[in-house]
Amino acid sequence: MIDKRIRAALFRTRLAEAMAERRLSQAALARACGVDRSTISQLLVSDKRMPNAQLAADCAMALGVSADWLLGLSGRPEPMADLLAMQLTETQAPRALIDEAIFGWHKEAAGYKIRHVPATLPDMLKTRAMVDWEYAPQLGRSAEQAIGAFEDRLAWMRGARSDYEIALPQHALLAFSTGTGYYSGLPAALRLEQIDRMIDLTEALYPALRVTLFDARRVFSAPITVFGPLLAVLYLGRHHLAFRDSTRVDSFTRHFDWLVREASVSARDLPAHLRSLRSRVA
């Protein structure tokens, strides 16, 4: 509980601060709230005067701030709708390589651990031939330019001092090695080249890069990425949902760490597992 005098002083300070920020006079605020100028004046000078709920809400609305903030119940001045808009954003997810939104999030989180459950094989581990097979139908004539930009961004990401932890469903790699399901029609030579690249990268970059496999019959995850403590992103297909409030980010982080704890193939064992899958390529 906050003493009434302390709360009144905080309200007076924040009301004056918001008025100064918006260059709103006492008379203008009084008109917006439908009260006499003297009422606003008393709020600004009295050590004990507190507004009723209606006046507090009217002042907050006129000033574009949160009533909770004016009353000392919140440390953020933004109205709840604005806070929610900042904490949850929806962005388009074009069928392309690392798009502008994703690359921006990587730059923002440079130096933090990035946890990732991809929709297919991780883009950052793919060969150029694999990228071309997967994305060329959507990129059309711009494929070469897009792939060049993608490789430049991968180079930046690898130099950004971020550790990457990736979790994949085990059946996805099996489907890849056998050329079934999503990977039906993928030439064997390309699959062999891709597996060899993944072996090389997971051995050379460990422990900064950790890739684990989980059994989707026991645990499951939608495609997500957690950018350190900053934000968590859920991939829906056509859109990304990005959460910035710490409670949601922590929840996504715990979910990812659960996948790693329940992994059927650890990051240390992945290269050996990839070599065993190599024998299935035909």
Side-chain angles (χ1 to χ4, degrees):
M1 297 293 291
I2 301 178
D3 185 272
K4 182 178 179 180
R5 288 169 296 182
I6 296 175
R7 191 182 298 281
L10 183 59
F11 176 85
R12 185 173 68 251
T13 299
R14 289 184 170 180
L15 181 65
E17 178 184 325
M19 290 172 63
E21 177 72 22
R22 286 151 185 81
R23 299 181 180 180
L24 202 65
S25 67
Q26 293 182 27
L29 180 58
R31 286 194 300 271
C33 296
V35 297
D36 294 334
R37 181 183 179 280
S38 60
T39 301
I40 302 298
S41 178
Q42 289 177 19
L43 291 175
L44 290 167
V45 299
S46 173
D47 288 336
K48 298 180 180 179
R49 179 70 184 272
M50 287 288 291
N52 59 33
Q54 181 65 46
L55 182 54
D58 290 341
C59 287
M61 183 174 296
L63 294 167
V65 297
S66 163
D68 282 353
W69 177 76
L70 282 179
L71 294 169
L73 301 175
S74 170
R76 297 292 297 268
E78 300 91 343
M80 183 57 67
D82 291 348
L83 286 174
L84 289 174
M86 288 188 296
Q87 291 174 357
L88 172 60
T89 57
E90 180 178 328
T91 62
Q92 288 190 335
R95 179 62 176 153
L97 297 167
I98 301 174
D99 61 36
E100 293 299 328
I102 293 175
F103 188 53
W105 293 327
H106 277 280
K107 290 193 291 184
E108 183 180 351
Y112 289 113
K113 177 186 282 190
I114 295 175
R115 299 167 169 88
H116 183 43
V117 180
T120 61
L121 293 183
D123 282 346
M124 66 184 303
L125 303 183
K126 290 173 182 173
T127 64
R128 188 181 182 91
M130 181 68 199
V131 168
D132 186 65
W133 178 86
E134 192 167 10
Y135 289 100
Q138 289 77 34
L139 297 174
R141 295 180 180 179
S142 62
E144 189 67 25
Q145 180 181 1
I147 291 172
F150 164 70
E151 291 178 330
D152 290 342
R153 290 176 176 184
L154 284 184
W156 181 92
M157 288 162 58
R158 288 176 184 143
R161 306 182 311 282
S162 291
D163 286 351
Y164 284 85
E165 194 161 9
I166 299 171
L168 285 168
Q170 189 169 346
H171 70 265
L173 276 185
L174 178 60
F176 174 80
S177 64
T178 57
T180 56
Y182 178 82
Y183 301 102
S184 178
L186 185 60
L190 195 154
R191 282 181 275 138
L192 287 171
E193 180 188 22
Q194 178 62 63
I195 291 175
D196 288 341
R197 178 173 176 79
M198 292 180 68
I199 292 171
D200 291 343
L201 289 176
T202 53
E203 286 184 330
L205 300 180
Y206 181 88
L209 169 67
R210 294 171 177 262
V211 182
T212 60
L213 305 181
F214 60 87
D215 184 349
R217 291 172 298 180
R218 295 193 304 108
V219 295
F220 175 78
S221 180
I224 61 169
T225 307
V226 185
F227 294 89
L230 304 178
L231 74 155
V233 179
L234 173 65
Y235 176 60
L236 299 180
R238 294 183 60 192
H239 297 87
H240 292 113
L241 290 181
F243 301 84
R244 288 188 176 273
D245 61 295
S246 58
T247 300
R248 297 294 184 275
V249 175
D250 288 345
S251 178
F252 276 70
T253 301
R254 290 194 300 272
H255 167 75
F256 184 92
D257 291 344
W258 169 68
L259 293 176
V260 173
R261 286 196 305 272
E262 297 295 324
S264 52
V265 178
S266 70
R268 285 184 178 275
D269 295 334
L270 183 68
H273 182 75
L274 288 169
R275 290 187 173 94
S276 70
L277 289 179
R278 207 178 185 282
S279 63
R280 297 174 178 262
V281 176

